[in-house]
Amino acid sequence: MSGKKVQESSVLNLAEYRDKVLGCWLGKNIGGTLGAPLEGKQDFFEVTGYLQDLDGKPAPNDDLDLQLVWLDAVENHGVYNLNPGVMGECWVNHIIAGWNEYGVCRANILNGFYPPLSGALNNERWYRSNGAWIRSEIWACLFPGSPDEAARFAVLDASCDHCGDGVYAEIFTAVLESAAFFESDLRKLIELGLSRIPSDSRVAGSVRLACRLFDEGKSLREARDEIVRANADLGWFQAPGNLGFTVLGLLYGGGDFGKTLCYAVNCGDDTDCTAATAGSILGIMYGAKNIPEQWIAPIGRTIQTVAINRFELPVPGTIDELTDRVVNEALRAAQENPLLVQFSETESSALTAADAAALATPQALEIDQWAQEFNFPWGTFTVTGEEWPLLESGVARRLKVEISHTTYVNEVVSIKPLLPEGWSATPAGVVFTPSRRTFVASAELEITPGEIDDALIYIPFEIRLAGRANPFMTAVPFQQRGAVSGNNMSRLCRARSRQLRRHQARCCR
C-alpha cells in the first residue's frame, strides 16, 4: 500500500485567497471608472486611460452597489438562509435605482410578485439586459473553486430582475469567476462558463462568436462589429452583445490588465459594465499584487455609491474593508458546508481530484421563472405555471400548486382557492397525502376568472393540515393581462430613485 497521503478536501491558501478577492474588487472599481464616461455610446473608441479628472476617487457604479446589498443579506441571514423572499425584501429596502429592469423588479415586488416572478413579469424589454451578470462577483468570492454553488446563488440573484438570457449571463460569469480562483487558463474558464448554460442561448452564441473571431485573426474592430451585427435585433444594453465585448477584451488583452479593460471599453455600449467585469476577472486570476499601481493610484481605494440607500445599509468605506467582510462570510460558509473548498493559513492551494473532475462536470440547474414561494413554519407552498399570474375574464388559466419541505406528521394537506363570485376552479381544491417522511407533492388547478375589476387581484388560498384546527391563509397575486405596463412602472421607480438620490446628496454634504 502506498504511503502517499490522500488529499481529503480542496484547499485555498488564505493569504492567496484574500489577495484574489481584493484584486476582484479593485478590478471592478477600476473598470467601472474607466468605462463610465462612455456608457451607452455606440461607437468604437481608442481609449488608453482614464478620461475623467478623478481627484483620487472612483466613479460610483451600480455594478458594485447591488453586491453590497447581497453582502449585507449574507451577513444578517447567513448565505444558506437566503431565499426569494429575503432577496425581494432586501431589494425594496436598500436598492433605490429605478431604471430599466431595476425599476420593473421593484414595482413587481411592491405589487406582491417576488423573485423569480419579479424578473419575468412585465419585463419584456429588459429581461435579458445587463443588470445581473455585472454583479456576480459576490457569489464567486463566497464560493471560490465551487462554481456550481456560485451558479445556484447567481440564479437566485439574477431572477430578481431578469429571466432567460439575463439569468444565463450571470451563471456564465459566476462560474467563470469562481473557477478563476484555481484556474488561470482563460479559454478553459470560458468553456467552464459555457458548460453551465444552454448551448442554444443568445449568451452562449455571442461568447462563442467572440472566441471564433479571435481565433480567425480578426482585428478587435472587426470582431466587435460582427458581434454588433449578430445582436442587432436585441438592441443596445443587452447581455449577449455586451458579454461578447467583455470576452473580446479578455481575449485580445492577452492577460495585460490595462489593455484588457481598454479593449472592453473600446467596443462601446455598456462600457462601465464590460470593463468592470473584465477587471474583476483578471483581479481574481492574478491577484491584487499584479494590478499595476498606475490604475489604482488615480482612484484610490474608497467605495462610492449611486444605486443604494446608504442610510439603511452599512456600506464599506474602502475596498479593503469590503474584502475583509467577504472573506469573513466565505470562512463562515466553509464552516457551515464542509463540501466547499476549505481555507488554510499554511497549506498551498490545491483541488482534490474529485473537485477538479466536478469543475468539468456541471450540475443541472432547474430554473422556473414563473414560480412563487409562500413559506410557512411547517413547509413551503409554491404556485407555478407558464405566465400563471396573467388573467383574462372567461379564459381558463392552468396553474400548479405544490407543497414541499413538510413532514409526515402533517398526514393530509388540503388546498382551496377562495374565489370571487362568478369565478370557478377545477377541481375546487386539492388534497395531498404524503408517502414518506419528507415529501414534495403537486397538483394542477384550472381557474376561470369571472369579471375582473382591477389590474391586480389577490386570491386567498386556504391551506389546512389534518389534525390542526386553524387554517393557514395566503394571498396569491394575479394581474389582469394588458393592465400593467413594465415601462410605466420603470418610469415611476426612476422618478422615486432620483428623489432619494437628491435627498442623500443633500444630507451627505
Side-chain angles (χ1 to χ4, degrees):
M1 181 177 177
S2 171
K4 185 177 179 180
K5 182 181 178 180
V6 177
Q7 187 180 335
E8 296 180 355
S9 63
S10 295
V11 172
L12 187 52
N13 180 271
L14 190 56
E16 179 185 347
Y17 166 65
R18 188 187 187 282
D19 184 62
K20 286 176 175 286
V21 174
L22 180 61
C24 170
W25 301 124
L26 281 173
K28 195 75 174 175
N29 241 2
I30 293 167
T33 302
L34 177 68
L38 299 176
E39 179 185 11
K41 298 184 183 300
Q42 301 170 10
D43 302 312
F44 184 83
F45 304 101
E46 295 184 0
V47 170
T48 58
Y50 294 120
L51 300 177
Q52 317 99 305
D53 293 325
L54 293 165
D55 195 28
K57 292 182 180 180
N61 197 339
D62 56 298
D63 302 35
L64 181 58
D65 285 8
L66 272 64
Q67 300 190 67
L68 305 181
V69 175
W70 300 150
L71 173 60
D72 181 68
V74 170
E75 291 173 331
N76 286 328
H77 297 274
V79 69
Y80 284 108
N81 290 320
L82 298 183
N83 59 43
V86 169
M87 301 293 277
E89 287 301 306
C90 287
W91 192 291
V92 298
N93 286 333
H94 300 304
I95 297 172
I96 62 173
W99 52 82
N100 304 344
E101 64 267 41
Y102 298 165
V104 172
C105 170
R106 180 179 182 83
N108 276 334
I109 293 171
L110 293 176
N111 286 339
F113 301 104
Y114 280 76
L117 270 182
S118 56
L121 191 64
N122 307 314
N123 203 18
E124 294 83 1
R125 183 176 178 184
W126 300 111
Y127 75 87
R128 57 160 67 93
S129 191
N130 296 315
W133 63 271
I134 60 175
R135 59 180 192 249
S136 59
E137 289 85 5
I138 183 68
W139 313 118
C141 290
L142 290 174
F143 301 107
S146 300
D148 290 303
E149 200 76 344
R152 183 160 72 88
F153 285 90
V155 170
L156 181 63
D157 172 3
S159 295
C160 290
D161 53 341
H162 295 80
C163 63
D165 273 298
V167 175
Y168 303 147
E170 186 170 357
I171 295 173
F172 173 83
T173 52
V175 167
L176 189 158
E177 291 157 353
S178 173
F181 280 91
F182 284 91
E183 177 60 65
S184 59
D185 185 313
L186 177 61
R187 296 304 286 265
K188 288 182 180 179
L189 291 172
I190 291 172
E191 287 304 319
L192 286 172
L194 288 171
S195 72
R196 267 69 176 181
I197 63 176
S199 59
D200 60 350
S201 64
R202 294 294 294 266
V203 166
S206 194
V207 170
R208 292 197 185 281
L209 176 59
C211 293
R212 178 173 64 80
L213 295 168
F214 174 77
D215 291 340
E216 291 175 354
K218 302 291 187 183
S219 69
L220 176 64
R221 175 64 184 269
E222 290 172 331
R224 175 264 187 192
D225 289 349
E226 186 62 33
I227 287 178
V228 170
R229 285 191 289 271
N231 293 285
D233 61 311
L234 302 183
W236 300 89
F237 279 107
Q238 301 296 315
N242 281 279
L243 202 47
F245 296 158
T246 302
V247 172
L248 287 182
L250 290 163
L251 291 171
Y252 285 84
D256 182 287
F257 185 85
K259 287 182 179 179
T260 295
L261 272 61
C262 288
Y263 289 166
V265 169
N266 289 343
C267 291
D269 199 6
D270 212 346
T271 49
D272 61 325
C273 295
T274 56
T277 297
S280 65
I281 289 170
L282 289 188
I284 294 172
M285 290 172 68
Y286 303 122
K289 61 181 179 293
N290 289 309
I291 296 179
E293 182 62 23
Q294 71 186 74
W295 290 102
I296 301 174
I299 67 169
R301 304 170 85 91
T302 64
I303 293 175
Q304 308 298 318
T305 65
V306 67
I308 56 179
N309 186 352
R310 295 181 69 105
F311 294 128
E312 301 294 334
L313 198 69
V315 175
T318 66
I319 291 295
D320 301 88
E321 182 188 346
L322 171 59
T323 297
D324 289 339
R325 287 171 60 179
V326 171
V327 169
N328 287 340
E329 291 309 310
L331 292 172
R332 185 157 71 128
Q335 286 182 328
E336 188 172 349
N337 184 355
L339 298 178
L340 297 176
V341 171
Q342 300 298 301
F343 300 94
S344 172
E345 294 183 355
T346 57
E347 296 182 56
S348 299
S349 300
L351 284 176
T352 64
D355 284 347
L359 279 178
T361 310
Q363 300 176 11
L365 281 174
E366 295 185 6
I367 304 175
D368 185 354
Q369 289 289 154
W370 295 98
Q372 180 143 331
E373 294 181 357
F374 302 85
N375 294 301
F376 294 96
W378 46 263
T380 302
F381 167 55
T382 303
V383 180
T384 186
E386 186 68 23
E387 295 189 341
W388 65 264
L390 299 177
L391 297 180
E392 299 176 66
S393 294
V395 178
R397 168 63 71 192
R398 185 176 297 276
L399 54 88
K400 183 171 77 171
V401 293
E402 180 179 281
I403 294 291
S404 59
H405 305 122
T406 188
T407 57
Y408 187 75
V409 69
N410 302 308
E411 295 175 307
V412 179
V413 181
S414 64
I415 300 173
K416 182 179 180 180
L418 305 181
L419 299 174
E421 184 177 354
W423 292 44
S424 64
T426 307
V430 295
V431 177
F432 299 130
T433 302
S435 58
R436 55 187 183 278
R437 185 172 180 82
T438 301
F439 79 106
V440 176
S442 63
E444 288 192 344
L445 283 173
E446 188 173 84
I447 292 179
T448 303
E451 182 180 352
I452 301 176
D453 57 6
D454 204 343
L456 298 166
I457 310 100
Y458 301 92
I459 303 297
F461 273 62
E462 179 186 82
I463 304 173
R464 289 186 175 272
L465 308 180
R468 303 197 189 195
N470 64 304
F472 293 86
M473 306 292 293
T474 189
V476 177
F478 293 84
Q479 178 181 303
Q480 184 177 8
R481 184 183 290 278
V484 176
S485 166
N487 290 334
N488 286 341
M489 292 197 301
S490 182
R491 280 197 293 273
L492 288 172
C493 287
R494 282 200 300 273
R496 175 60 176 155
S497 71
R498 285 194 295 271
Q499 292 173 353
L500 286 169
R501 285 199 299 276
R502 285 196 294 268
H503 179 60
Q504 286 192 158
R506 287 194 298 271
C507 293
C508 294
R509 284 172 182 166

